[in-house]
Amino acid sequence: MQKLGDFKLPHFFNYPPYFTLQPVRDTRNKQVQLWKELILDYCRTQKIFVVGLEEDFPLFSNPVVERSLSHEAREAFLSALVSEGRAEWLDKGHRKCLILWHRIQEWADIILSFVKDNGLEDSVMTVEEIRSGTESRGTELHGIDRTILIRALRLLEQKGKLAIFKGTSTDDEGVKFSL
Amino acid sequence: MRRRPGIGGLQNAATARDQYRLLGENVAKIRTDLMKEQLATFRSQLEEFARKHKNDIRKNPAFRSQFHEMCAKVGVDPLASNKGFWAELLGIGDFYYELGVQIVDICLATRPHNGGLINLQELCNVLRQRRKSDRGAVSEDDCLRAISKLKAQGFVTVDEVERQFSWTSGRAIDALDTLLDEGLAMIDDGHRDGRRRYWFPCVSSIATSVADI
């Protein structure tokens, strides 16, 4: 099986026709499904949160079979993820896509577990500490994309689990937990 | 021959060398001719054999396998073309072609169960069931032969189809697009030569799984 670093690539990745958008509906559906799963799996294992359509995202080409996904194909597969709530476009031109291999709700749950596990129920932390502080090491929160983190925190704020407050600059946004 | 000193002696030696060389060439030629004759005789005997045992070859897989081995030894490939002596005599090209089509058919039918990969033994079992009555037994050897005769690469271009069947471009595209619509083929527009390729996933998976045996 071919690998991309540590990641095991599925067989279809070496089959040239999968790099061409298929015109026949059932075939296309199967193709889209395979690509959606691959993109999510890869982003999850490599902790990739943003995919740029015009950048060298490794999954977009396979030099072994000398094929690359057209822009149309890239947009089609990512749009399918967006429709499913597994991704969001970051710009109107659909050039950058936020990948939600955990949905926002799932991230919110992870944050809650993190707070409980570390006894932080009544503490205050900065947003940056949550994603890169010592407590975060070894957890899924380590290195999380800021945009996603803030979205999850806002969700929890709506549920009254915490309060977000601004510090002296955007880097200092703080969170007071009240679980 | 006793060597004699002087010019005369040298001339004799030269003549002797020439004569030996000529003899050597003649021997080589005779050997080649003999071999050619042997091969020609073998080939016609093989044809005679095939004529006599036509039914056995069609019906008995073990016999058929040995027959193929004999042919291979003299560089005869009865499956090389659908025309000519072998095809006409034995209809053996048709046999394998038909087998090939049935194999693709079975693979397609079982695809929902096995995702497009089928093991050779199972394939032969299903094949035998389908061919039950008069068509004659089929061995794994036959399956392998038929499979290797299917386009090894797993894809075709429109040009290739036109050439293979002597069709017009329109007809070739229609046929390929029909297979596409039925989910039997996938298109590939990514080759740098810009020519569209039609891939047959079923064929490629058989070829891959058989290659692993």
Side-chain angles (χ1 to χ4, degrees), chain B residues 103-171:
Chain B
I103 288 171
V104 174
D105 201 30
I106 291 170
C107 289
L108 290 168
T110 58
R111 191 171 44 169
H113 306 295
N114 56 33
L117 284 174
I118 186 170
N119 117 346
L120 187 59
Q121 212 172 24
E122 206 185 307
L123 175 65
C124 287
N125 286 338
V126 180
L127 207 47
R128 274 175 216 130
Q129 294 255 16
R130 284 198 183 192
R131 293 173 63 86
K132 262 182 217 160
S133 53
D134 53 4
R135 310 285 198 62
V138 166
S139 67
E140 284 181 7
D141 193 50
D142 289 326
C143 288
L144 283 172
R145 235 176 269 282
I147 289 165
S148 70
K149 288 300 170 187
L150 290 172
K151 186 109 174 85
Q153 296 154 293
F155 70 81
V156 288
T157 61
V158 174
D159 290 338
E160 281 164 10
V161 172
E162 284 174 37
R163 253 179 284 135
Q164 183 87 271
F165 299 107
S166 302
W167 285 352
T168 61
S169 182
R171 188 172 167 186

Side-chain angles (χ1 to χ4, degrees), chain A residues 27-55:
Chain A
T27 315
R28 163 81 69 106
N29 289 344
K30 180 181 167 193
Q31 177 186 31
V32 170
Q33 187 57 35
L34 288 169
W35 275 103
K36 279 194 317 196
E37 281 167 15
L38 174 58
I39 293 169
L40 279 179
D41 275 341
Y42 184 73
C43 288
R44 183 187 306 117
T45 56
Q46 309 301 306
K47 283 214 166 182
I48 291 171
F49 296 93
V50 178
V51 171
L53 261 70
E54 278 145 26
E55 285 151 32

